[in-house]
Amino acid sequence: MRTLVLSDIHANLTALEAVIMDAANFDRVFCLGDVVGYGPDPNECIKFLRTLPQLQVVMGNHDAALSGIIEVGNFNYDAQQALTVQASILAATSMEWLELLDLEKDVAGIHMAHGSPRNPIWEYLSSNFIALENFSAFTQQVCMVGHTHIPSIFELSKPRKIRLLLPEQGDLWRSDNRFILNPGSVGQPRDGNPKAAYVIFDDGDETWQFRRVAYNVPEVQARMRNLGFPIRHIERLERGV
Ligand code: ZN
């Protein structure tokens, strides 16, 4: 079975459509949160995502903010502005769908959380030390996260030893060790590569392939300008930062 692993779509329908076209053949979809926030198409992304096969989604911090579960005041100024614009265009049906998302999920022997397994909404897995502490917060071999927008793997190579890998386009990963994997961001990559990031997991040979696909960034930026999004969020898409 082939699983399409997505995260941090951030209301960017053009990037999401490019990923679905590029992934071409998959049986189910795992999404690690932040379907909304930052981008111009929150309703369209939710609607499209819900048409995908065997969809499993966990809640991200932006999803939680827009559905009123956490305070917008917890975000930095630019992110708050973007959330305010999104709140003004978010349909009631979208909000209802966001409200019902789970914080964590266990699917097919894999743990799913947006930020980290011990703090799914807020924690960034930004160092080996933080990752090490998180291995005791789930029991499965594999945990998938999003939130940093950087394709990465923290592998527990020995009982207390962490190895960080930063996979690039096309890299194939396989390991019998425990690991925490981040597919990168579909709608707002931050690793210096503006192409949309995703992963294909094949449970036959247990491989995880890191992929990138270019999409029409200027088209998304034009929609953001029309809606009055912060300039910093518009410009960062073309640089992938
Ligand atoms: Zn995010």
Side-chain angles (χ1 to χ4, degrees), residues 131-133 135-136 155-162 177-178:
L132 179 62
E133 290 188 316
F135 274 93
S136 55
E155 183 189 30
L156 193 63
S157 53
K158 286 184 190 156
R160 292 196 63 77
K161 194 150 191 275
I162 297 284
N177 290 327
R178 298 183 72 206

PDB file of all heavy atoms in Angstrom, residues 131-133 135-136 155-162 177-178:
ATOM      1  N   ALA A 131      14.248  16.000  20.488  1.00  0.00           N
ATOM      2  CA  ALA A 131      13.768  14.773  19.834  1.00  0.00           C
ATOM      3  C   ALA A 131      13.957  13.570  20.749  1.00  0.00           C
ATOM      4  O   ALA A 131      13.050  12.751  20.906  1.00  0.00           O
ATOM      5  CB  ALA A 131      14.501  14.570  18.514  1.00  0.00           C
ATOM      6  N   LEU A 132      15.122  13.488  21.390  1.00  0.00           N
ATOM      7  CA  LEU A 132      15.411  12.352  22.280  1.00  0.00           C
ATOM      8  C   LEU A 132      14.365  12.252  23.388  1.00  0.00           C
ATOM      9  O   LEU A 132      13.845  11.165  23.678  1.00  0.00           O
ATOM     10  CB  LEU A 132      16.816  12.518  22.879  1.00  0.00           C
ATOM     11  CG  LEU A 132      17.269  11.423  23.853  1.00  0.00           C
ATOM     12  CD1 LEU A 132      17.330  10.067  23.157  1.00  0.00           C
ATOM     13  CD2 LEU A 132      18.630  11.761  24.449  1.00  0.00           C
ATOM     14  N   GLU A 133      14.036  13.381  23.988  1.00  0.00           N
ATOM     15  CA  GLU A 133      13.032  13.386  25.065  1.00  0.00           C
ATOM     16  C   GLU A 133      11.671  12.909  24.567  1.00  0.00           C
ATOM     17  O   GLU A 133      10.887  12.362  25.328  1.00  0.00           O
ATOM     18  CB  GLU A 133      12.876  14.808  25.622  1.00  0.00           C
ATOM     19  CG  GLU A 133      14.082  15.280  26.400  1.00  0.00           C
ATOM     20  CD  GLU A 133      13.790  16.604  27.088  1.00  0.00           C
ATOM     21  OE1 GLU A 133      13.203  17.471  26.430  1.00  0.00           O
ATOM     22  OE2 GLU A 133      14.151  16.743  28.258  1.00  0.00           O
ATOM     23  N   PHE A 135      11.020  10.541  22.324  1.00  0.00           N
ATOM     24  CA  PHE A 135      10.875   9.117  21.995  1.00  0.00           C
ATOM     25  C   PHE A 135      10.132   8.347  23.083  1.00  0.00           C
ATOM     26  O   PHE A 135       9.547   7.297  22.812  1.00  0.00           O
ATOM     27  CB  PHE A 135      12.233   8.476  21.688  1.00  0.00           C
ATOM     28  CG  PHE A 135      12.629   8.644  20.252  1.00  0.00           C
ATOM     29  CD1 PHE A 135      13.405   9.722  19.852  1.00  0.00           C
ATOM     30  CD2 PHE A 135      12.198   7.735  19.283  1.00  0.00           C
ATOM     31  CE1 PHE A 135      13.751   9.901  18.517  1.00  0.00           C
ATOM     32  CE2 PHE A 135      12.538   7.905  17.947  1.00  0.00           C
ATOM     33  CZ  PHE A 135      13.319   8.986  17.565  1.00  0.00           C
ATOM     34  N   SER A 136      10.122   8.875  24.315  1.00  0.00           N
ATOM     35  CA  SER A 136       9.379   8.186  25.381  1.00  0.00           C
ATOM     36  C   SER A 136       7.892   8.578  25.370  1.00  0.00           C
ATOM     37  O   SER A 136       7.096   8.051  26.134  1.00  0.00           O
ATOM     38  CB  SER A 136      10.002   8.495  26.743  1.00  0.00           C
ATOM     39  OG  SER A 136      10.058   9.890  26.914  1.00  0.00           O
ATOM     40  N   GLU A 155      16.597   9.845  13.971  1.00  0.00           N
ATOM     41  CA  GLU A 155      16.676   8.389  14.157  1.00  0.00           C
ATOM     42  C   GLU A 155      17.322   8.087  15.503  1.00  0.00           C
ATOM     43  O   GLU A 155      18.365   8.653  15.841  1.00  0.00           O
ATOM     44  CB  GLU A 155      17.514   7.768  13.035  1.00  0.00           C
ATOM     45  CG  GLU A 155      17.570   6.250  13.138  1.00  0.00           C
ATOM     46  CD  GLU A 155      18.571   5.634  12.150  1.00  0.00           C
ATOM     47  OE1 GLU A 155      19.570   6.299  11.814  1.00  0.00           O
ATOM     48  OE2 GLU A 155      18.340   4.487  11.729  1.00  0.00           O
ATOM     49  N   LEU A 156      16.673   7.194  16.267  1.00  0.00           N
ATOM     50  CA  LEU A 156      17.245   6.738  17.530  1.00  0.00           C
ATOM     51  C   LEU A 156      18.183   5.583  17.178  1.00  0.00           C
ATOM     52  O   LEU A 156      17.775   4.440  17.068  1.00  0.00           O
ATOM     53  CB  LEU A 156      16.115   6.275  18.459  1.00  0.00           C
ATOM     54  CG  LEU A 156      16.435   6.050  19.923  1.00  0.00           C
ATOM     55  CD1 LEU A 156      16.875   7.343  20.610  1.00  0.00           C
ATOM     56  CD2 LEU A 156      15.207   5.484  20.643  1.00  0.00           C
ATOM     57  N   SER A 157      19.469   5.916  16.984  1.00  0.00           N
ATOM     58  CA  SER A 157      20.392   4.918  16.464  1.00  0.00           C
ATOM     59  C   SER A 157      20.931   4.000  17.561  1.00  0.00           C
ATOM     60  O   SER A 157      21.257   2.847  17.312  1.00  0.00           O
ATOM     61  CB  SER A 157      21.531   5.584  15.695  1.00  0.00           C
ATOM     62  OG  SER A 157      22.138   6.570  16.493  1.00  0.00           O
ATOM     63  N   LYS A 158      21.044   4.517  18.774  1.00  0.00           N
ATOM     64  CA  LYS A 158      21.367   3.703  19.957  1.00  0.00           C
ATOM     65  C   LYS A 158      20.407   4.158  21.048  1.00  0.00           C
ATOM     66  O   LYS A 158      19.746   5.178  20.886  1.00  0.00           O
ATOM     67  CB  LYS A 158      22.819   3.958  20.386  1.00  0.00           C
ATOM     68  CG  LYS A 158      23.834   3.309  19.470  1.00  0.00           C
ATOM     69  CD  LYS A 158      25.245   3.524  19.998  1.00  0.00           C
ATOM     70  CE  LYS A 158      26.239   3.088  18.928  1.00  0.00           C
ATOM     71  NZ  LYS A 158      27.532   3.774  19.110  1.00  0.00           N
ATOM     72  N   PRO A 159      20.349   3.445  22.206  1.00  0.00           N
ATOM     73  CA  PRO A 159      19.324   3.806  23.202  1.00  0.00           C
ATOM     74  C   PRO A 159      19.247   5.294  23.526  1.00  0.00           C
ATOM     75  O   PRO A 159      18.160   5.821  23.725  1.00  0.00           O
ATOM     76  CB  PRO A 159      19.724   2.978  24.416  1.00  0.00           C
ATOM     77  CG  PRO A 159      20.339   1.761  23.833  1.00  0.00           C
ATOM     78  CD  PRO A 159      21.063   2.220  22.593  1.00  0.00           C
ATOM     79  N   ARG A 160      20.355   5.999  23.586  1.00  0.00           N
ATOM     80  CA  ARG A 160      20.258   7.432  23.879  1.00  0.00           C
ATOM     81  C   ARG A 160      20.999   8.273  22.835  1.00  0.00           C
ATOM     82  O   ARG A 160      21.526   9.339  23.135  1.00  0.00           O
ATOM     83  CB  ARG A 160      20.790   7.734  25.292  1.00  0.00           C
ATOM     84  CG  ARG A 160      19.884   7.153  26.379  1.00  0.00           C
ATOM     85  CD  ARG A 160      20.144   7.721  27.738  1.00  0.00           C
ATOM     86  NE  ARG A 160      19.884   9.150  27.858  1.00  0.00           N
ATOM     87  CZ  ARG A 160      18.676   9.689  27.962  1.00  0.00           C
ATOM     88  NH1 ARG A 160      17.611   8.936  27.993  1.00  0.00           N
ATOM     89  NH2 ARG A 160      18.533  10.988  28.072  1.00  0.00           N
ATOM     90  N   LYS A 161      21.067   7.780  21.618  1.00  0.00           N
ATOM     91  CA  LYS A 161      21.797   8.515  20.589  1.00  0.00           C
ATOM     92  C   LYS A 161      20.873   8.857  19.415  1.00  0.00           C
ATOM     93  O   LYS A 161      20.218   7.986  18.850  1.00  0.00           O
ATOM     94  CB  LYS A 161      22.972   7.674  20.103  1.00  0.00           C
ATOM     95  CG  LYS A 161      23.950   8.463  19.300  1.00  0.00           C
ATOM     96  CD  LYS A 161      25.364   7.931  19.440  1.00  0.00           C
ATOM     97  CE  LYS A 161      26.343   8.898  18.843  1.00  0.00           C
ATOM     98  NZ  LYS A 161      26.566   8.789  17.457  1.00  0.00           N
ATOM     99  N   ILE A 162      20.853  10.155  19.080  1.00  0.00           N
ATOM    100  CA  ILE A 162      19.989  10.625  18.001  1.00  0.00           C
ATOM    101  C   ILE A 162      20.833  11.046  16.806  1.00  0.00           C
ATOM    102  O   ILE A 162      21.861  11.707  16.952  1.00  0.00           O
ATOM    103  CB  ILE A 162      19.182  11.866  18.463  1.00  0.00           C
ATOM    104  CG1 ILE A 162      18.248  11.517  19.608  1.00  0.00           C
ATOM    105  CG2 ILE A 162      18.424  12.489  17.301  1.00  0.00           C
ATOM    106  CD1 ILE A 162      17.015  10.781  19.230  1.00  0.00           C
ATOM    107  N   ASN A 177      15.430   0.927  13.059  1.00  0.00           N
ATOM    108  CA  ASN A 177      15.436   1.685  14.314  1.00  0.00           C
ATOM    109  C   ASN A 177      14.148   2.491  14.448  1.00  0.00           C
ATOM    110  O   ASN A 177      13.393   2.659  13.492  1.00  0.00           O
ATOM    111  CB  ASN A 177      16.619   2.661  14.340  1.00  0.00           C
ATOM    112  CG  ASN A 177      17.936   1.929  14.460  1.00  0.00           C
ATOM    113  OD1 ASN A 177      18.011   0.879  15.094  1.00  0.00           O
ATOM    114  ND2 ASN A 177      18.966   2.481  13.853  1.00  0.00           N
ATOM    115  N   ARG A 178      13.940   3.049  15.633  1.00  0.00           N
ATOM    116  CA  ARG A 178      12.807   3.964  15.810  1.00  0.00           C
ATOM    117  C   ARG A 178      13.186   5.326  15.214  1.00  0.00           C
ATOM    118  O   ARG A 178      14.361   5.717  15.262  1.00  0.00           O
ATOM    119  CB  ARG A 178      12.471   4.121  17.293  1.00  0.00           C
ATOM    120  CG  ARG A 178      12.043   2.813  17.954  1.00  0.00           C
ATOM    121  CD  ARG A 178      11.658   3.048  19.395  1.00  0.00           C
ATOM    122  NE  ARG A 178      10.392   3.752  19.496  1.00  0.00           N
ATOM    123  CZ  ARG A 178      10.035   4.526  20.522  1.00  0.00           C
ATOM    124  NH1 ARG A 178      10.871   4.710  21.531  1.00  0.00           N
ATOM    125  NH2 ARG A 178       8.861   5.140  20.541  1.00  0.00           N
TER     126      ARG A 178
END
